[in-house]
Amino acid sequence: MSVDTVRLSQPAKDRLTYLKRTTGITQWNVLCRWALMLSLKDPSTPLVKDIVTDSNVEMTWKTFAGQHGDIYLALLKQRCVAIGEDPSDENVARMLTVHLHRGIGYLGADKEMATAEGMVRTVIPA
């Protein structure tokens, strides 16, 4: 295990608070899982490298990842390797933070994803 606690920045918390209200999805971890997967789906490297996780939102890895923790961890390690970084605990934790925050940005930027139905439509083409 390389990640114990998942923490969010204040801007990420604010964006997720809005999304909780508009989508009806009330759990931070569910929205965060969507955000992580949206970011990992994008093959580019996130531009932001340093993120201040200064909000009061934090969750354990088990809460964040649920029963699929091994899959999320493998995807993060694979992304480290893909960009030429050692999949060390520190690099995996940093990868989680930058991809989680980029994904939260994606969720908040696309008006289509302001509803649960819109979120599903973005990943399952009609």
Side-chain angles (χ1 to χ4, degrees):
M1 172 56 77
S2 61
V3 180
D4 294 323
T5 305
V6 178
R7 292 183 178 88
L8 299 178
S9 68
Q10 188 60 45
K13 175 191 174 188
D14 294 343
R15 193 163 292 208
L16 288 178
T17 299
Y18 167 78
L19 288 168
K20 284 174 68 173
R21 192 172 52 250
T22 60
T23 64
I25 299 171
T26 60
Q27 301 299 314
W28 300 107
N29 59 330
V30 173
L31 289 168
C32 286
R33 290 174 194 167
W34 274 91
L36 177 64
M37 298 313 297
L38 280 173
S39 182
L40 289 174
K41 177 181 168 185
D42 182 342
S44 70
T45 302
L47 297 176
V48 177
K49 301 282 188 223
D50 296 317
I51 296 170
V52 178
T53 53
D54 56 349
S55 79
N56 63 350
V57 175
E58 70 175 46
M59 63 195 92
T60 66
W61 172 257
K62 184 169 176 59
T63 297
F64 168 79
Q67 65 186 18
H68 303 295
D70 291 343
I71 294 170
Y72 294 124
L73 192 57
L75 290 169
L76 290 165
K77 287 181 178 183
Q78 186 278 331
R79 183 54 71 101
C80 285
V81 171
I83 64 171
E85 291 187 7
D86 178 53
S88 66
D89 290 354
E90 181 180 321
N91 286 341
V92 169
R94 187 174 44 75
M95 194 67 52
L96 170 63
T97 300
V98 297
H99 277 282
L100 177 57
H101 283 79
R102 177 171 78 170
I104 291 169
Y106 287 172
L107 284 176
D110 188 339
K111 300 260 187 264
E112 179 71 17
M113 289 192 242
T115 66
E117 295 82 9
M119 290 173 66
V120 171
R121 276 194 302 272
T122 62
V123 296
I124 302 173

